[in-house]
Amino acid sequence: MDRLAEIQQRIKPELERMNSVIRRFLTSDNDLMDNVVGNYLQTKGKQIRPIMVILSAKFFGEVNPHVIHAGAALEMLHNASLIHDDVVDDTALRRGHATVNNQWGNHIAVLVGDFFVANALAAGISTGNLSIISSLSDLGKELSLGEVEQICNVRDHHLDEAHYFSMIRKKTACLFSKCVKMGAEAVGTPEAEYQPLAEYAELLGMCFQIRDDIFDYFSNPLIGKPTGNDLREGKVTLPLLHAIQTAPGPISQSVKEMLLKGDLNEKEIGILIDFAKEYHGIEYAFDKMREMQQRAYKILDAYPDSEWKETFRDLFEYIISRDK
């Protein structure tokens, strides 16, 4: 059993309750919608985000129905963003399976994504907690802004770490910190107590995205996307950014010119991947994650020892060492 499976096993009853809530909210009287949603839910992902909601609640108190509904709301909102992203990126596969847009077309995919958003809000409202509802609203805005910022980075050819980290903070890390916030507030924890753990979660979210980006430089059928997919879409991530900064001037300049030209062919994508590896971009990205991990562990050290504190440590190690 891998590290994530062990974590899931520790909170299995809560995850089962949450998935039951998700299925209940997403059930409709429309056969087509039920068919599309049912197929989609069969290939649910790792559910790391709602896991963090539940772990946060256990960290500070006891899981109650509000925690379960907050986790369900957040998971539905996250999946809505994935469905919409697949439309924007014209993605054919996710988690090794055909995307909604690939199977049903963009029109249906957008409507299904909207259906997930509406039910995420409904699940949030059922908690009766305005702070949780506000967090869901903030997340919707941040996720959208993160995606727009990524598009701007591609169009404006921002080739620096500052823009990259700003984008992944909005696109991914904010969602992780909100997981802790929602779980803690669902059990009545004051902000002063949970804020450090939310900062821990933001670092974890940054590492999650960096690790995801590293996958793009290697062929791995478990991921469900081809090597170099980010580069095909014009996305320049941390390994390549570091290589551009550290390679000799003429070589770095030729790579920049290739990226500025756009519309990369397969040969050029291969050249860029090899370039990132040759100039230690992968090692640099892993070093960055380990630095963030150490900062995060120092935050955890301030909290009393508990099973759930160790589970948060295990989750961070899983995020960095995972192979899919």
Side-chain angles (χ1 to χ4, degrees):
M1 186 182 295
D2 69 16
R3 188 175 269 108
L4 180 61
E6 290 175 359
I7 294 169
Q8 291 169 331
Q9 190 63 33
R10 293 174 204 171
I11 56 172
K12 184 178 178 181
E14 291 85 357
L15 283 176
E16 289 178 345
R17 286 161 57 196
M18 184 205 71
N19 282 310
S20 177
V21 167
I22 289 174
R23 287 191 296 271
R24 175 165 57 83
F25 271 93
L26 292 176
T27 297
S28 73
D29 58 3
N30 183 279
D31 290 341
L32 175 58
M33 182 65 78
D34 275 0
N35 189 13
V36 177
V37 170
N39 287 338
Y40 183 86
L41 292 180
Q42 287 179 4
T43 60
K44 63 179 179 288
K46 307 174 189 70
Q47 297 195 321
I48 288 173
R49 294 154 189 85
I51 284 173
M52 291 185 67
V53 174
I54 294 168
L55 291 181
S56 176
K58 284 182 170 289
F59 193 93
F60 294 109
E62 296 293 332
V63 172
N64 58 41
H66 294 339
V67 175
I68 299 299
H69 281 77
L74 196 140
E75 180 69 355
M76 285 188 281
L77 183 62
H78 168 61
N79 278 280
S81 73
L82 297 182
I83 293 168
H84 286 156
D85 287 352
D86 289 340
V87 173
V88 172
D89 298 334
D90 196 25
T91 305
L93 289 175
R94 181 175 288 280
R95 302 165 185 157
H97 296 270
T99 56
V100 177
N101 53 294
N102 186 12
Q103 285 185 293
W104 303 94
N106 288 345
H107 191 174
I108 292 294
V110 169
L111 294 173
V112 170
D114 291 346
F115 185 69
F116 271 72
V117 171
N119 282 288
L121 292 174
I125 290 169
S126 72
T127 68
N129 187 319
L130 286 177
S131 181
I132 289 174
I133 298 166
S134 177
S135 290
L136 289 169
S137 174
D138 290 343
L139 268 177
K141 291 186 286 188
E142 288 295 326
L143 289 171
S144 299
L145 288 171
E147 287 298 325
V148 170
E149 188 164 332
Q150 181 166 265
I151 292 170
C152 291
N153 285 349
V154 172
R155 289 181 176 175
D156 299 336
H157 304 291
H158 290 305
L159 300 177
D160 61 85
E161 288 187 21
H163 281 92
Y164 170 79
F165 283 121
S166 173
M167 180 270 296
I168 68 170
R169 183 172 284 106
K170 292 175 182 174
K171 177 184 175 183
T172 304
C174 70
L175 184 52
F176 282 72
S177 63
K178 284 290 194 298
C179 292
V180 163
K181 182 178 188 290
M182 291 169 68
E185 291 185 338
V187 295
T189 310
E191 182 177 358
E193 289 185 32
Y194 71 68
Q195 188 55 42
L197 192 64
E199 293 170 9
Y200 167 95
E202 179 173 284
L203 291 166
L204 189 150
M206 299 281 279
C207 289
F208 183 92
Q209 187 61 57
I210 293 170
R211 186 68 185 98
D212 241 23
D213 293 342
I214 291 172
F215 285 131
D216 201 51
Y217 293 83
F218 298 91
S219 179
N220 188 340
L222 294 174
I223 308 302
K225 68 176 184 177
T227 301
N229 194 54
D230 288 340
L231 289 168
R232 287 183 187 86
E233 297 169 2
K235 301 171 185 174
V236 182
T237 54
L238 189 59
L240 186 54
L241 290 171
H242 175 72
I244 289 170
Q245 295 300 316
T246 57
I251 299 175
S252 178
Q253 184 59 35
S254 67
V255 166
K256 288 180 182 179
E257 290 173 359
M258 190 183 300
L259 291 168
L260 291 171
K261 173 181 70 68
D263 295 323
L264 300 170
N265 58 42
E266 294 305 305
K267 181 180 178 180
E268 290 169 329
I269 289 172
I271 290 171
L272 291 172
I273 289 173
D274 290 342
F275 169 78
K277 292 177 180 177
E278 181 179 356
Y279 288 96
H280 309 293
I282 306 299
E283 294 92 332
Y284 177 79
F286 271 105
D287 287 345
K288 276 290 183 183
M289 287 191 291
R290 291 300 180 188
E291 288 175 13
M292 291 182 184
Q293 184 182 31
Q294 291 308 308
R295 287 164 53 195
Y297 281 1
K298 287 181 180 178
I299 292 172
L300 272 187
D301 286 343
Y303 286 104
D305 290 341
S306 70
E307 175 186 0
W308 308 113
K309 176 178 174 177
E310 290 309 308
T311 303
F312 269 112
R313 285 182 182 273
D314 290 343
L315 185 60
F316 212 123
E317 183 58 35
Y318 165 76
I319 292 300
I320 295 178
S321 60
R322 66 196 170 105
D323 58 7
K324 60 180 179 177

